[in-house]
């Protein structure tokens, strides 16, 4: 699920009343500054790339020429660009740019780069699923990538077979949603990308700027390990095509690069034949050592018919099993009874695996699953299974989203914390966090835990992972519901727990690394990257020398605000 950090120019605003006050106080002068800014920026565009411009109204202008991108200061656009899924920070840009293609993005960035005073802040925004303001551009321009190049179905690229690659691929726009990529490739050849995130309503460029992980990553690697080629608009406004053999520094630097080296406008994604159906299985554990030993054994298996295609897990309090939103799987309608849990209290661990099949393998799927489960050490009587179409499994979180939206529990603060934890210290993490900081409670939302194989991650990418052959994702995907009667579910309590978890990891020397990292100072970023920092800083200086891009991450010193320059 995409991901980023923010150095805001004002204090974070958590409540809707505060936000309306914020909007009311700033609206007048913000619009005036926007108007000045737009005249300035359009002048730069005219002088830099020769774009013809005509005024649309007093607060917006159409950019003609290359593709017809539109610069907007409409209040609705500014409001949308000032917030994200996390709802933890709000930083309003001066304008929002709607490109139709890579040329428009390049023209905007080139003009920003050429502007006097150190450049103008520019951040790409997919569909707003960042957590901590990473795609925000306070006092700058947010590039709305959600519609460009996606215009007409007839203009979209079809899957292509490459003899050199030994498989199919598809070229997609950086702002495309993964769910749309899936539906398109299924409809044109029965194909699908190999590696996924749990939630498909994320943009391609967003997940590739982080890593893109789910339960398939142990076998296929993250999404960034399943890309053949990129088009990237650098901080100089240049559209650069890059791959492992062509401009490799930019290619690997942009993959997992948190948007620091450029804006991904096109990605060439590896495809495979999509299975038809999925056997979805969950089993419960009370012993953490047995749980992780079984997970690590499963990700070590290589033979196709004798391995699961997806391996994840999550942590849940025994008494909250039925009420947990990921646990609709364990519904009262499930024929397997939960009576086997009556002697278990405190923390339970749920293994979640799948076996893909189609018509040709349907006759052996039962045998394959039985053989694999027979070697595991879950609590007897706690295996829960269901069969469903492959697409329905991949889109499972969206169904949970719709339920939460109906209850008014989706558009709330999400103080998420994602960590990569070395396998050698995962038991210490369990005792110190699950049974320590959390006190055997899992209030607020799901806590995922599953291992991955490091050899499936290309070390040339910008992603930072622990230096061990196996490491775990531990994801605290919790929501703060306003007005909750349980104080443990308040935003303040969840953020305090996040700090305590990070402090424990630091004091205990766990060696964890944040995924979708959220650091507040450059020294923290330097510690995050470790020995990779020098290379990352060098690439930043080469491809975004004015440090204009993705300033919401707060990694490098940003250009001054327009009013300050």
């Amino acid at each position: 699920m995409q991901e980023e950090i923010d150095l805001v120019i004002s204090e974070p605003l958590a409540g809707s009343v505060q936000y309306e006050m914020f909007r009311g106080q700033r609206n007048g002068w913000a619009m005036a500054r926007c108007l000045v800014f737009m005249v300035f920026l359009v002048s730069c565009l005219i002088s830099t790339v020769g774009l013809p411009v005509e005024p649309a109204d007093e607060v917006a202008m159409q950019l003609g020429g290359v593709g017809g991108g539109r610069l907007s200061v409409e209040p609705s656009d500014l409001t949308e660009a000032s917030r994200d899924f996390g709802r933890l920070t709000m930083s309003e840009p001066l304008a929002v740019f709607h490109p139709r293609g890579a040329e428009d993005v390049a023209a905007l960035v080139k003009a920003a780069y050429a502007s006097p005073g150190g450049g103008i802040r520019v951040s790409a925004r997919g569909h707003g699923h960042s957590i901590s303001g990473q795609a925000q551009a306070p006092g700058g321009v947010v590039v709305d990538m959600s519609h460009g190049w996606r215009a007409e179905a007839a203009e979209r690229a079809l899957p292509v077979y490459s003899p050199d690659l030994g498989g199919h691929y598809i070229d997609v726009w950086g702002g495309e949603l993964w769910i749309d990529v899936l539906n398109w490739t299924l409809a044109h050849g029965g194909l699908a990308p190999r590696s996924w995130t749990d939630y498909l309503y994320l943009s391609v460029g967003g997940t590739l700027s982080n890593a893109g992980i789910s339960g398939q990553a142990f076998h296929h690697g993250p999404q960034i390990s399943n890309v053949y080629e990129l088009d990237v608009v650098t901080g100089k406004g240049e559209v650069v095509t890059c791959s492992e053999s062509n401009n490799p520094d930019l290619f690997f630097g942009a993959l997992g690069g948190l948007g620091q080296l450029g804006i991904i406008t096109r990605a060439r994604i590896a495809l495979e034949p999509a299975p038809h159906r999925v056997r979805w299985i969950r089993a419960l554990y009370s012993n953490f050592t047995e749980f992780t030993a079984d997970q690590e054994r499963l990700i070590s298996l290589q033979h196709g018919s004798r391995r699961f295609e997806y391996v994840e897990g999550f942590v849940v309090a025994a008494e909250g099993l039925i009420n947990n939103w990921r646990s609709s799987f364990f519904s009262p309608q499930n024929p397997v009874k939960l009576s086997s849990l009556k002697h278990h209290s405190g923390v339970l661990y749920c293994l979640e695996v799948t076996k893909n099949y189609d018509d040709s393998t349907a006759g052996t799927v039962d045998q394959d699953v039985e053989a694999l489960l027979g070697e595991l050490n879950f609590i007897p009587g706690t295996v829960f299974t269901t069969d469903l179409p492959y697409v329905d499994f991949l889109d499972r979180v969206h169904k949970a989203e719709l339920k939460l939206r109906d209850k008014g529990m989706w558009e709330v603060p999400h103080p998420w914390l994602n960590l990569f934890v070395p396998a050698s210290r995962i038991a210490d993490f369990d005792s110190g966090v699950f049974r320590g900081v959390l006190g055997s409670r899992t209030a607020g939302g799901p806590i995922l835990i599953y291992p991955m194989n490091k050899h499936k991650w290309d070390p040339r990418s910008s992603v930072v992972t622990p230096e061990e052959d196996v490491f775990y994702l531990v994801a605290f995907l919790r929501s703060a519901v306003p007005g909750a009667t349980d104080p443990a579910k308040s935003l303040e309590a969840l953020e305090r727990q996040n700090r305590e978890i990070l402090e424990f990891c630091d004091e205990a020397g766990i060696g964890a690394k944040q995924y979708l990292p959220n650091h507040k100072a450059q020294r923290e970023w330097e510690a995050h990257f470790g020995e990779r920092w020098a290379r990352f800083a060098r690439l930043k200086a080469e491809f975004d020398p004015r440090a204009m891009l993705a300033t919401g991450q707060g990694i490098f010193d940003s250009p001054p605000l327009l009013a300050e320059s």
Side-chain angles (χ1 to χ4, degrees), residues 175-176 247 303 322 332 452:
E176 194 87 358
N247 298 307
H303 192 276
I322 298 298
M452 290 170 281

Side-chain angles (χ1 to χ4, degrees), residues 239-359:
V239 182
V240 179
T241 298
C242 53
S243 65
E244 183 175 12
S245 58
N246 180 28
N247 298 307
D249 278 357
L250 180 58
F251 179 69
F252 290 110
L255 292 173
L258 305 175
Q260 295 302 301
L261 309 187
I263 298 172
I264 296 173
T265 56
R266 179 185 63 90
R268 179 164 291 179
I269 307 296
L271 303 175
E272 66 177 2
H276 295 165
R277 294 190 64 80
V278 169
R279 175 71 53 83
W280 186 9
I281 306 149
R282 288 179 175 177
L284 296 172
Y285 292 72
S286 59
N287 185 299
F288 186 75
T289 300
E290 292 179 344
F291 169 68
T292 53
D294 281 356
Q295 281 191 318
E296 290 182 33
R297 180 182 180 281
L298 290 175
I299 71 166
S300 72
L301 302 178
Q302 299 299 318
H303 192 276
S305 64
R306 288 293 184 264
R307 65 170 173 82
F308 289 116
E309 280 78 24
Y310 163 100
V311 176
E312 283 199 14
F314 58 93
V315 183
V316 63
E319 65 273 16
L321 186 63
I322 298 298
N323 295 324
N324 186 282
W325 72 262
R326 284 181 67 94
S327 302
S328 56
F329 197 96
F330 305 114
S331 68
Q333 288 73 36
N334 194 304
V336 180
K337 302 299 181 184
L338 292 174
S339 58
S340 3
L341 302 178
K342 63 184 178 181
H343 300 301
H344 297 280
S345 60
V347 176
L348 291 175
Y349 310 94
C350 181
L351 174 69
E352 185 174 53
V353 294
T354 68
K355 187 68 182 168
N356 300 338
Y357 64 97
D358 51 30
D359 293 343

Side-chain angles (χ1 to χ4, degrees), residues 101-107 109-110 231-240 250 261-265 543 549:
E103 294 84 359
D104 288 353
V105 177
V109 176
K110 184 176 292 184
D231 281 348
V232 178
V233 175
T234 70
K236 300 176 184 179
E238 300 169 342
V239 182
V240 179
L250 180 58
L261 309 187
I263 298 172
I264 296 173
T265 56
F543 294 108
L549 300 179

Side-chain angles (χ1 to χ4, degrees), residues 16 55 70 77 95 151 199 277 281 292 320 340 429 434 450 458 461 464 472 536 556:
S16 59
R70 180 172 63 89
D77 280 345
Y199 181 64
R277 294 190 64 80
I281 306 149
T292 53
S340 3
F429 191 91
F434 300 148
Y450 58 89
D458 197 308
S461 78
V464 180
Y472 281 76
F536 193 66
F556 298 94

